[in-house]
Amino acid sequence: MAGPLRSSWTTIVPLASLIVLALTWQVSPAPLLAAFIAAVLVGAVLSAVHHAEIVAHRVGEPFGSLVLAVAVTVIEVALIVTLIASGGPGSHSLARDTVFAAVMITANGIVGLALLVGAIRHGVTRFNPEGTGAELAVVATLATVTMVLPTFTSSRPGPEFSPLQLGFAAIASLALYGVFVLTQTVRHRDFFLPVAVPGDTPEDVHAPPPTVRATVTSLGLLCAALVAVVGLAKTVSPVIEAGVSQAGIPESFVGVVIALLVLLPEGLAATRAAAAGRMQTSLNLGYGSAIASIGLTIPAIAVATLWLEGPLTLGLGGTQIVLLVLTVAVGILTVVPGRATRLQGCIHLVLFAAFVFLAMFP
């Protein structure tokens, strides 16, 4: 009975959430309506994770984690471009704030939680240092080229790229992302596969793969759920913004909250994979989402600047650069041994907490 019920609600919720999105689009919700939208949003996130796992089980790793990361990022990019085009307050730095928040959430929040859950469940978590180290290196390079260098370039006043520099950063980001995907899925796919540990039996190792029809259906429902997640997050953002303003917190923190909502599917999927003994899948989701967020967002924003007016602030501030450098340094110490304990998970979670706290109280 549980199977049909689960299948039923995970089919209904994405479609229902799209209907709610259509009815509440461009509406400033009252607190009660905002609470209802938030409940629908949570349901859309849970259904997205369910359908992402079905697709992942059919196509196998690392394609499964790549599907979820790219799907969320493409929709996130569309949301960023839409908000920048609207020209609201803080729109000139929206891309930077959102992408940096995504990096901190994925590289510290998602990775740290997955390491902690995996270590509590299995003692010592094990993963491929070759693949995970390559992912971290790509994250560090993309973040530095797109968000650190603008702070120190001199062609434009302030933390901005000149059009030529922005074009170079966009091409370099897209090229590096393409090489990473090729490496992850073709040339060195084994570097990104879960490590087999004697005695561990992942939950889905004996489960038959879903049919092609079920996989295609889940892929469509996954996209529908992700569209609903991003759209509903935008709908409730005025309520969040009002609450943030009343609390005396900087407006840029709204981007952090929205990024947290948008990245919920990856966070839940990574945590469940870690609990099931598939730590490499969790790390693929965490670091892969960071790579996709930078590698796809910056080129899209660069193209959008051809018709968008106003400055585009990409350079990070001093506090953000310190957090980024510390995240990369700690990440290297975490991934090089190929195994980690709950201590490493706690370290990453402390870094994530520091990011959130300093975003609220800079």
Side-chain angles (χ1 to χ4, degrees):
M1 185 70 178
L5 285 176
R6 186 183 185 192
S7 176
S8 175
W9 81 262
T10 54
T11 301
I12 294 173
V13 167
L15 302 178
S17 59
L18 286 179
I19 295 175
V20 173
L21 175 61
L23 294 176
T24 58
W25 186 252
Q26 301 296 338
V27 171
S28 297
L32 187 61
L33 178 59
F36 172 73
I37 294 174
V40 176
L41 175 62
V42 172
V45 168
L46 295 176
S47 63
V49 173
H50 169 73
H51 292 296
E53 289 178 343
I54 291 178
V55 175
H57 189 37
R58 174 69 188 187
V59 301
E61 281 297 319
F63 296 99
S65 56
L66 185 65
V67 167
L68 181 57
V70 172
V72 169
T73 304
V74 168
I75 300 172
E76 181 184 358
V77 167
L79 176 60
I80 292 173
V81 173
T82 301
L83 292 176
I84 291 178
S86 66
S91 60
H92 63 92
S93 62
L94 180 64
R96 178 200 63 187
D97 295 337
T98 305
V99 171
F100 182 69
V103 172
M104 291 293 105
I105 291 169
T106 53
N108 285 321
I110 293 178
V111 169
L113 183 60
L115 289 173
L116 181 60
V117 170
I120 291 175
R121 184 76 178 269
H122 302 281
V124 177
T125 62
R126 299 183 184 275
F127 46 85
N128 281 309
E130 298 91 348
T132 310
E135 290 174 324
L136 180 58
V138 175
V139 172
T141 301
L142 287 174
T144 301
V145 169
T146 60
M147 293 186 291
V148 175
L149 288 182
T151 304
F152 300 98
T153 54
S154 57
S155 297
R156 286 286 184 91
E160 298 178 30
F161 270 145
S162 68
L164 187 61
Q165 291 169 339
L166 181 60
F168 169 80
I171 294 173
S173 300
L174 199 58
L176 187 54
Y177 179 73
V179 173
F180 166 73
V181 171
L182 181 65
T183 302
Q184 185 186 36
T185 58
V186 180
R187 299 295 297 177
H188 300 286
R189 182 185 174 191
D190 54 315
F191 288 175
F192 303 90
L193 297 179
V195 175
V197 180
D200 281 355
T201 55
E203 293 176 357
D204 63 348
V205 70
H206 299 301
T211 63
V212 174
R213 180 179 179 181
T215 303
V216 172
T217 301
S218 287
L219 182 60
L221 291 172
L222 169 63
C223 294
L226 293 177
V227 169
V229 167
V230 177
L232 293 175
K234 181 180 182 298
T235 300
V236 299
S237 62
V239 178
I240 298 173
E241 186 174 339
V244 166
S245 178
Q246 292 177 0
I249 299 173
E251 289 184 358
S252 59
F253 186 72
V254 176
V256 178
V257 177
I258 299 301
L260 283 168
L261 292 173
V262 171
L263 289 169
L264 262 179
E266 278 111 327
L268 290 177
T271 303
R272 292 181 61 171
R278 304 190 303 272
M279 181 53 61
Q280 187 62 51
T281 300
S282 299
L283 297 178
N284 289 346
L285 280 167
Y287 289 125
S289 297
I291 294 170
S293 181
I294 306 174
L296 296 179
T297 300
I298 299 303
I301 297 300
V303 173
T305 55
L306 295 176
W307 69 84
L308 295 178
E309 298 181 356
L312 178 63
T313 301
L314 288 179
L316 298 174
T319 302
Q320 296 169 317
I321 292 176
V322 170
L323 286 173
L324 179 62
V325 171
L326 187 56
T327 295
V328 173
V330 170
I332 292 172
L333 296 176
T334 298
V335 305
V336 165
R339 60 188 185 279
T341 65
R342 63 186 70 185
L343 173 61
Q344 282 77 22
C346 289
I347 293 172
H348 282 282
L349 288 176
V350 166
L351 282 174
F352 173 66
F355 159 70
V356 174
F357 177 80
L358 291 173
M360 296 173 64
F361 307 104

